């Protein structure tokens, strides 16, 4: 069954090009030119991923991102931001609000396709991934793609979950930002350091008792991050 995508963008020419390209590569694509139309589509339809422009005629895509991440039904919907804004801060804000990835305009259709494939791959678990990583009260369920504290599911985006897995599978070893980005190849995201920091902050907010004094995901000044082993953190 083909994955179903929703593209919200007011550039009719771009929407037609992207829509045709994605359909030619096996996806079902619905489109909307405004936030209002996009909200209507999300209300009545079921989608595997959302491609969302930030600058729309009736509002800011960041507002919709915020709404989705507070909606129980849609909070885990994979979300790729499309943005013509050049300021890194806009992208960081989008990641902080829960976007999984972003792609600056202009972009090549092939790169967009790669990003979409990565989003969907992260969102749907491999049937062979049946391990659960256990760290005290923290469980990382690779098959269910869930992190749980005392059995309660942590509210992480798919990219944040992937980042947590990378850190946890190298527990006790310091990973630089470059090493993290290299390990996450195939899960495209622009490689600028602050985006990793944003995701780590969100992970800490979910798994640490005191995110300001983390005991599990530690910053190694001038180097990167280390996931503390159980004996180090308990």
């Amino acid at each position: 069954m083909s994955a179903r995508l929703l593209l919200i963008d007011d550039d009719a020419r771009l929407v037609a090009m992207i829509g045709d390209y994605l359909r030619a590569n096996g996806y079902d694509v619905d489109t909307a030119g405004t936030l209002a139309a996009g909200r209507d589509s999300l209300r009545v339809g079921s989608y595997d991923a959302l491609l969302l422009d930030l600058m729309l005629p009736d509002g800011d895509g960041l507002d919709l991102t915020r709404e989705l991440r507070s909606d129980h039904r849609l909070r885990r919907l994979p979300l790729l931001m499309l943005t013509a804004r050049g300021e890194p801060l806009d992208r960081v804000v989008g990641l902080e609000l829960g976007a999984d990835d972003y792609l600056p305009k202009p972009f090549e259709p092939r790169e967009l396709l790669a990003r979409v494939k990565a989003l969907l791959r992260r969102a749907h678990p491999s049937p062979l991934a049946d391990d659960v990583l256990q760290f005290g009260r923290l469980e990382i369920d690779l098959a269910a793609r869930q992190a749980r504290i005392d059995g309660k599911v942590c509210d992480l985006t798919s990219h944040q979950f992937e980042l947590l897995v990378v850190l946890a599978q190298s527990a006790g070893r310091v990973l630089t930002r470059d090493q993290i980005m290299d390990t996450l190849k195939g899960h495209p995201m622009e490689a600028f350091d602050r985006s990793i920091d944003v995701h780590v902050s969100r992970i800490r907010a979910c798994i640490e008792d005191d995110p300001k004094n983390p005991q599990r995901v530690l910053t190694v000044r001038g180097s990167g991050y280390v996931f503390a082993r159980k004996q180090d953190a308990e």
Side-chain angles (χ1 to χ4, degrees), residues 113-127:
L113 179 63
R115 302 286 182 118
V116 169
K117 287 180 177 179
L119 276 183
L120 296 174
R121 187 165 55 243
R122 296 198 300 265
H124 298 286
S126 165

Side-chain angles (χ1 to χ4, degrees), residues 27 35 52 58 90 126 129 181:
Y27 296 97
L35 285 177
L52 175 64
D58 57 340
D90 290 315
S126 165
M181 293 304 304

Side-chain angles (χ1 to χ4, degrees), residues 131-135 137-148 161 164-169 207 227:
D131 291 340
V132 175
L133 306 179
Q134 185 78 45
F135 300 92
R137 298 164 52 218
L138 171 65
E139 293 179 331
I140 303 175
D141 190 329
L142 303 181
R145 297 186 64 80
Q146 290 180 346
R148 299 184 290 265
F161 178 81
L164 176 60
V165 170
V166 167
L167 293 168
Q169 288 181 331
I207 72 171
F227 189 95

Side-chain angles (χ1 to χ4, degrees), residues 97-194:
L97 291 177
D100 295 286
D101 197 2
Y102 70 86
L103 185 60
K105 297 179 180 179
F107 52 80
E108 290 291 329
R110 285 181 297 178
E111 183 177 6
L112 175 65
L113 179 63
R115 302 286 182 118
V116 169
K117 287 180 177 179
L119 276 183
L120 296 174
R121 187 165 55 243
R122 296 198 300 265
H124 298 286
S126 165
L128 299 178
D130 56 1
D131 291 340
V132 175
L133 306 179
Q134 185 78 45
F135 300 92
R137 298 164 52 218
L138 171 65
E139 293 179 331
I140 303 175
D141 190 329
L142 303 181
R145 297 186 64 80
Q146 290 180 346
R148 299 184 290 265
I149 295 288
D150 296 330
K152 183 178 179 181
V153 177
C154 300
D155 184 18
L156 298 173
T157 68
S158 58
H159 188 85
Q160 289 157 5
F161 178 81
E162 289 289 342
L163 176 54
L164 176 60
V165 170
V166 167
L167 293 168
Q169 288 181 331
S170 297
R173 175 187 168 200
V174 177
L175 296 180
T176 67
R177 290 173 177 81
D178 286 343
Q179 288 173 320
I180 291 170
M181 293 304 304
D182 187 61
T183 304
L184 288 172
K185 281 181 179 177
H187 309 277
M189 184 180 72
E190 286 294 313
F192 68 100
D193 287 351
R194 193 172 175 186

